[in-house]
Amino acid sequence: MTSEARKSIHGTWTGKWTFILAAAGSAVGLGNIWKFPYMAGEYGGGAFVLVYLVCILLIGVPIMIAEILLGRRGRRSPANTMAYLAVEARAFPQWKYLGMMGAVAGLLILSFYSVAAGWAFAYIFEEFNGTSAEYYGQEFDSFLKDETRLIFFHSIFIFATIFIVARGVIKGIEIWINRLMPILFIIIVLLCVYATQTGAFFEGVSYLFTPDFSKINAKVILAALGQAFFTLSLGMGAIMAYGAYMPANQNIGSTALYVAFLDTLVALLAGIAIFPIVFANNLEPAVGPGLVFVTLPWAFVNMPLGIIFGKLFFVLLTIAALSSAISLLEPGVAWIVESLKIKRYIAAAGLGFIAWTLGIFSALSFDLLAGFTPIGDKNFFDSLDFLSNQVLLPLGGIFIAIFVGWVMKRSDVFEELNLKEGLVLKAWFFLLKFVSPLVVGLIFVLAVFFGVVT
Ligand code: PHE
């Protein structure tokens, strides 16, 4: 049966644009505005950005196409989609574990994602009256030690995520994303305009786009690869879950390109806005997760109408994070609703509670639990971040590529894509079948070999 004849029990997006908006809503989030700039700063600027862009294009886009395709063909939650498609392909039923692992990875990510989203949330209420960029550095450091505030904002954020997923992603999402995302985009462009006035615009931009090849090593490559998966929401079933709600007549290939383009654009613009401020104020690019929270408030203080833009920016960043967070919870919730036949709000509350509890450990990991370092010298927050982004997502990606490239019937794959046989289709299939699993596999081996973890 083709996906045309089947519908997901969770609904179908009403319009062609809704899938793109929902997938872009999932992709564009803290990964672009918070994580991309600080990782670029930590891993050597242009060298990291170059590897990242190559990973997006050669690995990310092909896998995104594969993930949407799986979801739409299965029309179920990722776990049940994989179970169903394994039967269709007469493959091992164990493929369903790939979908289940994704749901678990989603909860792990949600737990610390929500803590970082809480930072953006808390910054809506910041005063923005500091007199130096360093001032905001100290503010952020003391904020990380304020457990009550961290847990408070983390809790509200998870609650909002549960609320939307409980109502059903389709109803929950369609309403806001299409109105709010464009405003966020405009503010980022405004920040880029401000960056041209800092006096260090070219220094900032060339830091991002001039690769120093000597800085590329196994650690940088693994980090860029993990970030490519994370920013595109790949490897854990978020995009697969959303693909299940995609209308049958929509073109998967062009949709994936569109989402990847938007996502990359927002990340690069965020970098272009932030690094000139870093250099104009003699700040360190490698300060880590606090980077946006130190640089942007200082930009807002200096901009005309900056206070208003500042508040609006953090409101929108919180909403962008929310539209990503719901896609982290959805694969697990859809799976439980289908398999246990329980109400959606119960599934959402139950899984959300697990993520909330884990998140408490992340919230405490900057001060009270700073000595607790499960992986290498990383605290709990950083360990979960590392485990999910640099291990679980790429691993999920390898298996998705193998399933679509090697296990499914070629005719089923091509039927779902609905593209004429031609160069583009061949190129995609080649990248998916050979390049993605081999390159990602090789990066893993290198990473273990060079002891990236410890
Ligand atoms: N892509 C989201 C971001 O950049 C995070 C995310 C990862 C969402 C994985 C869903 C799945 O913020």
Side-chain angles (χ1 to χ4, degrees):
M1 193 164 40
T2 64
S3 59
E4 187 124 26
R6 276 195 310 274
K7 284 248 154 50
S8 161
I9 59 163
H10 310 285
T12 306
W13 309 114
T14 47
K16 207 178 168 120
W17 274 95
T18 322
F19 175 83
I20 296 185
L21 283 169
S26 164
V28 175
L30 296 174
N32 309 60
I33 295 163
W34 161 66
K35 207 150 193 271
F36 171 77
Y38 94 71
M39 287 190 87
E42 216 161 75
Y43 291 101
F48 172 86
V49 176
L50 179 72
V51 183
Y52 166 81
L53 291 175
V54 171
C55 289
I56 295 265
L57 202 65
L58 296 186
I59 299 171
V61 172
I63 291 185
M64 180 177 277
I65 295 176
E67 247 198 85
I68 304 175
L69 178 158
L70 288 174
R72 190 167 75 181
R73 196 163 182 85
R75 287 279 188 231
R76 296 162 169 83
S77 65
N80 288 324
T81 281
M82 290 312 300
Y84 168 80
L85 294 178
V87 174
E88 188 185 64
R90 295 175 208 269
F92 294 117
Q94 283 79 357
W95 277 102
K96 66 170 188 272
Y97 293 123
L98 178 57
M100 295 177 185
M101 184 185 96
V104 173
L107 289 188
L108 293 183
I109 298 178
L110 179 60
S111 73
F112 70 84
Y113 197 85
S114 165
V115 173
W119 302 343
F121 197 175
Y123 265 63
I124 300 174
F125 309 99
E126 268 289 307
E127 296 281 328
F128 300 125
N129 57 7
T131 47
S132 67
E134 284 93 18
Y135 167 87
Y136 286 104
Q138 286 152 10
E139 276 277 295
F140 187 72
D141 286 344
S142 55
F143 173 47
L144 286 188
K145 299 198 164 65
D146 187 347
E147 268 86 19
T148 328
R149 248 169 105 203
L150 293 178
I151 293 177
F152 175 75
F153 286 105
H154 159 60
S155 307
I156 302 189
F157 186 83
I158 285 267
F159 184 78
T161 309
I162 295 174
F163 182 77
I164 299 179
V165 175
R167 289 194 57 200
V169 166
I170 300 199
K171 260 189 261 151
I173 280 191
E174 290 207 13
I175 321 168
W176 5 0
I177 305 296
N178 29 0
R179 302 204 190 115
L180 296 172
M181 286 297 114
I183 312 181
L184 178 67
F185 190 76
I186 293 171
I187 299 197
I188 297 176
V189 172
L190 274 177
L191 281 169
C192 290
V193 174
Y194 168 76
T196 61
Q197 307 301 310
T198 52
F201 186 68
F202 290 106
E203 202 182 334
V205 171
S206 73
Y207 177 77
L208 267 183
F209 293 108
T210 324
D212 171 357
F213 289 97
S214 69
K215 291 210 170 120
I216 300 184
N217 57 32
K219 208 172 186 151
V220 170
I221 298 177
L222 182 66
L225 177 79
Q227 174 63 7
F229 276 95
F230 182 75
T231 192
L232 294 176
S233 306
L234 295 178
M236 52 68 63
I239 294 293
M240 204 190 295
Y242 280 8
Y245 317 141
M246 187 191 215
N249 56 5
Q250 190 164 350
N251 184 315
I252 295 180
S254 58
T255 305
L257 273 175
Y258 205 85
V259 172
F261 171 77
L262 272 179
D263 186 75
T264 309
L265 184 66
V266 174
L268 294 179
L269 287 177
I272 293 174
I274 286 168
F275 284 104
I277 305 172
V278 169
F279 292 115
N281 293 288
N282 294 320
L283 296 171
E284 195 28 64
V287 290
L291 189 65
V292 266
F293 297 97
V294 177
T295 50
L296 293 189
W298 180 233
F300 291 127
V301 169
N302 288 302
M303 264 162 86
L305 297 178
I307 306 290
I308 298 175
F309 283 131
K311 300 251 178 260
L312 197 58
F313 174 83
F314 284 109
V315 169
L316 293 166
L317 182 56
T318 308
I319 293 170
L322 195 56
S323 66
S324 301
I326 53 186
S327 72
L328 287 164
L329 190 55
E330 176 64 14
V333 169
W335 168 37
I336 291 198
V337 169
E338 285 166 8
S339 302
L340 303 182
K341 309 254 178 305
I342 57 171
K343 291 254 181 344
R344 191 168 246 281
Y345 74 89
I346 297 178
L351 295 186
F353 180 73
I354 297 176
W356 178 78
T357 313
L358 267 179
I360 300 283
F361 289 92
S362 282
L364 299 182
S365 68
F366 306 102
D367 192 26
L368 277 182
L369 297 180
F372 176 48
T373 53
I375 300 181
D377 58 359
K378 297 177 164 58
N379 65 20
F380 191 76
F381 179 99
D382 291 334
S383 296
L384 269 193
D385 178 354
F386 176 83
L387 174 72
S388 47
N389 301 344
Q390 299 191 29
V391 181
L392 296 179
L393 297 185
L395 209 59
I398 295 189
F399 284 111
I400 288 168
I402 292 178
F403 189 81
V404 176
W406 296 88
V407 178
M408 273 175 86
K409 270 209 323 234
R410 213 181 140 106
S411 55
D412 287 349
V413 171
F414 286 9
E415 175 191 68
E416 198 60 48
L417 278 184
N418 203 3
L419 269 182
K420 290 217 180 55
E421 284 258 9
L423 199 62
V424 177
L425 194 63
K426 286 210 181 105
W428 166 73
F429 208 54
F430 176 79
L431 286 173
L432 189 77
K433 199 166 170 164
F434 300 103
V435 177
S436 313
L438 280 179
V439 172
V440 179
L442 192 71
I443 294 174
F444 266 133
V445 174
L446 277 179
V448 172
F449 194 71
F450 286 106
V452 165
V453 178
T454 46

PDB file of all heavy atoms in Angstrom, residues 26-27 29-32 113 230-231 233 236 238 324 327-328, ligand 1:
ATOM      1  N   SER A  26      11.170  22.528  13.968  1.00  0.00           N
ATOM      2  CA  SER A  26      11.953  21.551  14.716  1.00  0.00           C
ATOM      3  C   SER A  26      13.448  21.823  14.549  1.00  0.00           C
ATOM      4  O   SER A  26      14.219  21.802  15.504  1.00  0.00           O
ATOM      5  CB  SER A  26      11.623  20.137  14.216  1.00  0.00           C
ATOM      6  OG  SER A  26      12.602  19.225  14.642  1.00  0.00           O
ATOM      7  N   ALA A  27      13.848  22.115  13.306  1.00  0.00           N
ATOM      8  CA  ALA A  27      15.277  22.281  13.024  1.00  0.00           C
ATOM      9  C   ALA A  27      15.828  23.572  13.633  1.00  0.00           C
ATOM     10  O   ALA A  27      16.863  23.572  14.293  1.00  0.00           O
ATOM     11  CB  ALA A  27      15.506  22.253  11.515  1.00  0.00           C
ATOM     12  N   GLY A  29      16.355  26.214  16.157  1.00  0.00           N
ATOM     13  CA  GLY A  29      16.131  26.310  17.602  1.00  0.00           C
ATOM     14  C   GLY A  29      17.423  26.740  18.268  1.00  0.00           C
ATOM     15  O   GLY A  29      18.238  27.453  17.685  1.00  0.00           O
ATOM     16  N   LEU A  30      17.620  26.256  19.491  1.00  0.00           N
ATOM     17  CA  LEU A  30      18.829  26.614  20.218  1.00  0.00           C
ATOM     18  C   LEU A  30      20.067  26.150  19.469  1.00  0.00           C
ATOM     19  O   LEU A  30      21.140  26.728  19.588  1.00  0.00           O
ATOM     20  CB  LEU A  30      18.810  25.963  21.593  1.00  0.00           C
ATOM     21  CG  LEU A  30      17.683  26.425  22.519  1.00  0.00           C
ATOM     22  CD1 LEU A  30      17.694  25.606  23.789  1.00  0.00           C
ATOM     23  CD2 LEU A  30      17.851  27.896  22.847  1.00  0.00           C
ATOM     24  N   GLY A  31      19.912  25.076  18.690  1.00  0.00           N
ATOM     25  CA  GLY A  31      21.038  24.540  17.932  1.00  0.00           C
ATOM     26  C   GLY A  31      21.655  25.587  17.013  1.00  0.00           C
ATOM     27  O   GLY A  31      22.874  25.639  16.852  1.00  0.00           O
ATOM     28  N   ASN A  32      20.832  26.430  16.438  1.00  0.00           N
ATOM     29  CA  ASN A  32      21.333  27.422  15.497  1.00  0.00           C
ATOM     30  C   ASN A  32      21.871  28.656  16.205  1.00  0.00           C
ATOM     31  O   ASN A  32      22.916  29.182  15.847  1.00  0.00           O
ATOM     32  CB  ASN A  32      20.203  27.888  14.583  1.00  0.00           C
ATOM     33  CG  ASN A  32      19.482  26.727  13.962  1.00  0.00           C
ATOM     34  OD1 ASN A  32      18.919  25.896  14.659  1.00  0.00           O
ATOM     35  ND2 ASN A  32      19.524  26.653  12.660  1.00  0.00           N
ATOM     36  N   TYR A 113      18.073  20.160  26.907  1.00  0.00           N
ATOM     37  CA  TYR A 113      17.626  21.225  25.997  1.00  0.00           C
ATOM     38  C   TYR A 113      16.709  22.188  26.749  1.00  0.00           C
ATOM     39  O   TYR A 113      16.789  23.404  26.605  1.00  0.00           O
ATOM     40  CB  TYR A 113      16.871  20.575  24.839  1.00  0.00           C
ATOM     41  CG  TYR A 113      16.676  21.449  23.623  1.00  0.00           C
ATOM     42  CD1 TYR A 113      17.670  21.547  22.649  1.00  0.00           C
ATOM     43  CD2 TYR A 113      15.499  22.169  23.431  1.00  0.00           C
ATOM     44  CE1 TYR A 113      17.491  22.330  21.524  1.00  0.00           C
ATOM     45  CE2 TYR A 113      15.318  22.951  22.306  1.00  0.00           C
ATOM     46  CZ  TYR A 113      16.310  23.032  21.351  1.00  0.00           C
ATOM     47  OH  TYR A 113      16.138  23.802  20.237  1.00  0.00           O
ATOM     48  N   PHE A 230      22.336  17.385  14.923  1.00  0.00           N
ATOM     49  CA  PHE A 230      21.521  18.054  15.946  1.00  0.00           C
ATOM     50  C   PHE A 230      20.724  19.201  15.344  1.00  0.00           C
ATOM     51  O   PHE A 230      19.519  19.331  15.565  1.00  0.00           O
ATOM     52  CB  PHE A 230      22.449  18.575  17.054  1.00  0.00           C
ATOM     53  CG  PHE A 230      21.725  19.252  18.187  1.00  0.00           C
ATOM     54  CD1 PHE A 230      21.030  18.501  19.118  1.00  0.00           C
ATOM     55  CD2 PHE A 230      21.748  20.627  18.325  1.00  0.00           C
ATOM     56  CE1 PHE A 230      20.356  19.118  20.176  1.00  0.00           C
ATOM     57  CE2 PHE A 230      21.080  21.249  19.376  1.00  0.00           C
ATOM     58  CZ  PHE A 230      20.392  20.487  20.302  1.00  0.00           C
ATOM     59  N   THR A 231      21.371  20.023  14.572  1.00  0.00           N
ATOM     60  CA  THR A 231      20.707  21.223  14.076  1.00  0.00           C
ATOM     61  C   THR A 231      19.610  20.878  13.083  1.00  0.00           C
ATOM     62  O   THR A 231      18.610  21.574  12.988  1.00  0.00           O
ATOM     63  CB  THR A 231      21.735  22.215  13.479  1.00  0.00           C
ATOM     64  OG1 THR A 231      21.077  23.466  13.282  1.00  0.00           O
ATOM     65  CG2 THR A 231      22.294  21.743  12.170  1.00  0.00           C
ATOM     66  N   SER A 233      17.838  18.208  13.313  1.00  0.00           N
ATOM     67  CA  SER A 233      16.930  17.300  14.051  1.00  0.00           C
ATOM     68  C   SER A 233      16.946  15.894  13.479  1.00  0.00           C
ATOM     69  O   SER A 233      15.909  15.223  13.422  1.00  0.00           O
ATOM     70  CB  SER A 233      15.477  17.809  14.024  1.00  0.00           C
ATOM     71  OG  SER A 233      15.378  19.107  14.466  1.00  0.00           O
ATOM     72  N   MET A 236      17.066  10.790  15.248  1.00  0.00           N
ATOM     73  CA  MET A 236      16.299  10.278  16.390  1.00  0.00           C
ATOM     74  C   MET A 236      14.806  10.183  16.107  1.00  0.00           C
ATOM     75  O   MET A 236      14.027   9.882  17.005  1.00  0.00           O
ATOM     76  CB  MET A 236      16.578  11.061  17.680  1.00  0.00           C
ATOM     77  CG  MET A 236      16.452  12.554  17.664  1.00  0.00           C
ATOM     78  SD  MET A 236      14.799  13.202  17.449  1.00  0.00           S
ATOM     79  CE  MET A 236      13.993  12.603  18.915  1.00  0.00           C
ATOM     80  N   ALA A 238      12.606  12.592  14.970  1.00  0.00           N
ATOM     81  CA  ALA A 238      11.740  13.777  14.991  1.00  0.00           C
ATOM     82  C   ALA A 238      11.197  14.055  13.589  1.00  0.00           C
ATOM     83  O   ALA A 238       9.999  14.247  13.384  1.00  0.00           O
ATOM     84  CB  ALA A 238      12.505  14.995  15.511  1.00  0.00           C
ATOM     85  N   SER A 324      11.160  23.239  18.736  1.00  0.00           N
ATOM     86  CA  SER A 324      12.087  22.114  18.599  1.00  0.00           C
ATOM     87  C   SER A 324      11.801  21.071  19.665  1.00  0.00           C
ATOM     88  O   SER A 324      11.833  19.865  19.400  1.00  0.00           O
ATOM     89  CB  SER A 324      13.540  22.580  18.748  1.00  0.00           C
ATOM     90  OG  SER A 324      13.844  23.542  17.777  1.00  0.00           O
ATOM     91  N   SER A 327       9.183  18.466  19.062  1.00  0.00           N
ATOM     92  CA  SER A 327       9.553  17.385  18.146  1.00  0.00           C
ATOM     93  C   SER A 327      10.481  16.379  18.817  1.00  0.00           C
ATOM     94  O   SER A 327      10.706  15.289  18.300  1.00  0.00           O
ATOM     95  CB  SER A 327      10.197  17.943  16.877  1.00  0.00           C
ATOM     96  OG  SER A 327      11.484  18.426  17.138  1.00  0.00           O
ATOM     97  N   LEU A 328      11.046  16.750  19.957  1.00  0.00           N
ATOM     98  CA  LEU A 328      11.855  15.781  20.710  1.00  0.00           C
ATOM     99  C   LEU A 328      10.955  14.827  21.492  1.00  0.00           C
ATOM    100  O   LEU A 328      11.287  13.672  21.728  1.00  0.00           O
ATOM    101  CB  LEU A 328      12.786  16.517  21.680  1.00  0.00           C
ATOM    102  CG  LEU A 328      13.972  17.236  21.040  1.00  0.00           C
ATOM    103  CD1 LEU A 328      14.592  18.236  22.006  1.00  0.00           C
ATOM    104  CD2 LEU A 328      15.023  16.233  20.587  1.00  0.00           C
TER     105      LEU A 328
HETATM  106  N1  PHE B   1      17.288  20.953  15.786  1.00  0.00           N
HETATM  107  C1  PHE B   1      16.976  21.465  17.084  1.00  0.00           C
HETATM  108  C2  PHE B   1      17.787  22.742  17.293  1.00  0.00           C
HETATM  109  O1  PHE B   1      18.637  23.065  16.508  1.00  0.00           O
HETATM  110  C3  PHE B   1      17.221  20.460  18.168  1.00  0.00           C
HETATM  111  C4  PHE B   1      16.662  19.101  17.895  1.00  0.00           C
HETATM  112  C5  PHE B   1      17.501  18.004  17.773  1.00  0.00           C
HETATM  113  C6  PHE B   1      15.289  18.916  17.735  1.00  0.00           C
HETATM  114  C7  PHE B   1      17.015  16.744  17.490  1.00  0.00           C
HETATM  115  C8  PHE B   1      14.790  17.655  17.452  1.00  0.00           C
HETATM  116  C9  PHE B   1      15.647  16.580  17.306  1.00  0.00           C
HETATM  117  O2  PHE B   1      17.610  23.422  18.258  1.00  0.00           O
END
